[in-house]
Amino acid sequence: MSSKQQFSFFESVERYFDKAAELTNHSQGLLEQIKVCNSVYQIRFPVKIGNSVQVIEAYRVQHSHHKLPCKGGIRYSEHVNQDEVMALASLMTYKCAIVDVPFGGAKGGIKINPRNYTPGQLERITRRYATELIKKNFIGPAIDVPAPDYGTGAREMAWILDTYHTFNSSNIDSYGCVTGKPITQGGIRGRTEATGLGVFYGTREAMSHADDMEALGLTTGIEGKRTVVQGLGNVGYHCAKFFQDAGARLIGLSEYEGAIFDPSGKGFDVDDVVAHRKSTGSILNYPGAQNLDHSADALELECDILIPAALERVIHGDNAARVKAKIIAEAANGPITPDAEDILLAKGTMILPDVSDVEKNIIAHGADEADLVYSGLEETMITAYNAIRESWKRHNRINDLRTAAFYVAIEKVACAYEELGIFP
Ligand code: NAD
């Protein structure tokens, strides 16, 4: 059996959790309560597509009710399943806790490939999904707040908002039922690029510590560093753009149809590559670039920083030994399996766990709103990274940043439960 198949995604998250949980002093009951998913809603609904009816499979998982509302993205992908949504929901709880955002983690998913549907069909599927969530009280500003994720964006959030609003038109707070909506619908400037920017700020902070960089054979700072990005969607594109603007050299870029490498070492202009992909339909054959047959080949390029920004579990037991990056900055959720992590840590790779999926409440509106999002995010990511790093450096049984991140998260969620007085 391939090592990629050894653990499901949720089991992988549980393994990361257990590794950190055993370093804490909390009772088994409390740790169990933190680890499990509190509510799992599995839905099947019919939608008329063309001349036939398709039964659509969808999910919403609320991992933790220790703070409400729950919050987390909605993913459209043909690979969606309950295990994946449970894993993503639990990761959201830990990310929110690390950055002190007072929400429980949640995630949703619809098992469709959005490329196979027209916008009108996607709208019908989305509105029906939203209606199913409303029916079971699985959505609402005080209950559970969806956001964009893989395969979804502001458009889908607008459809969900409109559906929710139709059923709750007298509720002045109903616009708070989703984040990541269009600006005209009450969305916040700066939200779209926030996840990519958070990854940038976190990596920049990690690379400012001279002793850590020296251990990797690197100088401090992002400027000039050879960088590879997998996935040029919302998160990946903005990551690439922020790294490029900070002087990183984008020597490898990957999309689902293949990847490109810059043999000159100067680095691509991400906007130009995106424009090329738009006009030709593929990232391949970009002028001056070397084509790589498989998108995953980019993960194995010789580079300083590797940013997986597409999907989970792309670095696994079968390819980890060939990954040459000195730093892996996670932008996707869960891109590294536990067995791959063991291999990477053994060879000294620095893994920066993704904690960037943060949305603080912003109350200003107008042109300065994006500045507020940016500066709030910058401070949040710097503080979060240094809290994780401090646990890593101080605790003699914590040997890596992910265990440190889970440790910090568990302590914070445990604190919220302990204050409830249920657990001894
Ligand atoms: P997206 O749909 O906007 O983009 C994903 C991109 O990855 C697409 O362009 C897709 O074609 C590409 N892709 C798919 N398979 C690939 C492969 N094998 N190799 C290379 N590229 C591939 O999705 P997104 O919102 O950017 O999400 C990407 C990741 O970031 C996901 O893991 C998601 O959970 C995570 N994330 C997203 C957000 C958000 O705010 N959008 C927040 C937190 C985390």
Side-chain angles (χ1 to χ4, degrees):
M1 185 177 31
S2 141
S3 42
K4 209 178 163 185
Q5 294 162 331
Q6 266 179 6
F7 298 102
S8 74
F9 188 12
F10 185 60
E11 285 165 348
S12 300
V13 177
E14 288 189 309
R15 278 194 62 183
Y16 288 135
F17 179 95
D18 291 341
K19 195 172 161 189
E22 68 173 28
L23 305 174
T24 71
N25 295 320
H26 302 294
S27 67
Q28 269 316 307
L30 174 52
L31 292 171
E32 179 71 9
Q33 173 60 26
I34 297 173
K35 186 162 101 168
V36 295
C37 287
N38 292 176
S39 306
V40 180
Y41 183 23
Q42 187 191 94
I43 320 162
R44 300 282 193 282
F45 52 80
V47 177
K48 191 148 189 278
I49 305 290
N51 292 325
S52 62
V53 172
Q54 274 182 29
V55 178
I56 306 285
E57 179 180 333
Y59 301 88
R60 183 74 186 171
V61 172
Q62 295 169 352
H63 171 255
S64 183
H65 293 156
H66 76 289
K67 294 216 168 150
L68 290 172
C70 294
K71 172 199 143 36
I74 293 178
R75 171 175 292 198
Y76 288 2
S77 154
E78 57 212 329
H79 304 297
V80 160
N81 58 51
Q82 184 173 316
D83 181 274
E84 179 186 81
V85 185
M86 286 168 66
L88 293 165
S90 45
L91 287 174
M92 273 308 294
T93 295
Y94 308 130
K95 288 198 230 183
C96 288
I98 288 166
V99 297
D100 289 324
V101 168
F103 301 136
K107 205 79 181 190
I110 304 187
K111 189 179 169 64
I112 53 166
N113 180 346
R115 281 187 278 265
N116 295 342
Y117 297 87
T118 64
Q121 292 167 344
L122 285 173
E123 179 175 354
R124 277 210 297 285
I125 294 169
T126 305
R127 285 184 183 277
R128 178 63 192 253
Y129 174 70
T131 309
E132 296 292 334
L133 297 182
I134 294 164
K135 249 165 57 180
K136 296 283 182 196
N137 221 10
F138 255 74
I139 182 171
I143 300 167
D144 186 351
V145 181
D149 191 71
Y150 186 92
T152 60
R155 178 183 69 172
E156 286 72 20
M157 296 308 112
W159 290 331
I160 294 173
L161 167 61
D162 189 52
T163 308
Y164 185 82
H165 194 62
T166 305
F167 286 92
N168 297 275
S169 54
S170 61
N171 180 356
I172 196 167
D173 293 328
S174 65
Y175 280 83
C177 73
V178 287
T179 66
K181 50 200 172 267
I183 311 290
T184 51
Q185 301 290 311
I188 287 174
R189 285 177 186 78
R191 163 62 180 87
T192 310
E193 62 270 34
T195 307
L197 184 59
V199 174
F200 169 74
Y201 285 145
T203 312
R204 191 187 66 182
E205 185 59 22
M207 295 188 76
S208 71
H209 292 278
D211 44 345
D212 296 348
M213 290 305 106
E214 206 178 306
L216 296 170
L218 289 174
T219 54
T220 54
I222 281 173
E223 193 171 354
K225 300 297 186 301
R226 297 164 303 163
T227 303
V228 173
V229 182
Q230 182 195 41
L232 290 178
N234 178 38
V235 177
Y237 164 75
H238 287 107
C239 256
K241 183 86 177 142
F242 287 116
F243 274 78
Q244 175 181 314
D245 290 349
R249 291 180 286 145
L250 300 176
I251 58 147
L253 294 173
S254 152
E255 254 295 334
Y256 76 96
E257 67 274 11
I260 51 172
F261 166 64
D262 179 8
S264 80
K266 280 195 210 135
F268 298 118
D269 178 285
V270 66
D271 285 314
D272 211 42
V273 171
V274 167
H276 163 83
R277 183 167 185 251
K278 206 168 175 188
S279 65
T280 66
S282 170
I283 197 172
L284 298 171
N285 303 321
Y286 180 74
Q290 187 183 314
N291 286 341
L292 305 177
D293 290 341
H294 306 289
S295 53
D297 293 346
L299 301 170
E300 300 175 19
L301 287 169
E302 184 92 41
C303 65
D304 302 314
I305 309 166
L306 170 63
I307 306 176
L311 282 170
E312 60 269 12
R313 298 157 67 76
V314 293
I315 302 175
H316 42 76
D318 296 337
N319 66 0
R322 296 192 300 273
V323 171
K324 301 173 197 72
K326 294 180 177 165
I327 298 174
I328 303 178
E330 292 186 346
N333 276 296
I336 302 174
T337 62
D339 49 344
E341 178 133 327
D342 291 343
I343 295 168
L344 293 164
L345 292 175
K347 60 178 179 171
T349 313
M350 180 183 228
I351 299 171
L352 304 176
D354 168 34
V355 294
S356 64
D357 197 359
V358 290
E359 289 171 84
K360 297 251 183 195
N361 291 331
I362 304 286
I363 41 174
H365 292 282
D368 57 352
E369 204 172 45
D371 293 342
L372 268 178
V373 171
Y374 281 29
S375 62
L377 189 59
E378 182 172 20
E379 196 191 316
T380 302
M381 294 310 298
I382 291 172
T383 309
Y385 180 75
N386 286 312
I388 294 168
R389 183 176 182 270
E390 202 179 301
S391 284
W392 171 41
K393 297 281 169 184
R394 275 212 184 158
H395 200 303
N396 58 11
R397 289 175 63 204
I398 296 182
N399 300 317
D400 61 276
L401 285 159
R402 189 184 318 279
T403 307
F406 270 78
Y407 181 83
V408 169
I410 291 168
E411 287 297 347
K412 290 193 179 175
V413 181
C415 181
Y417 273 118
E418 277 165 355
E419 279 162 8
L420 274 177
I422 302 173
F423 294 94

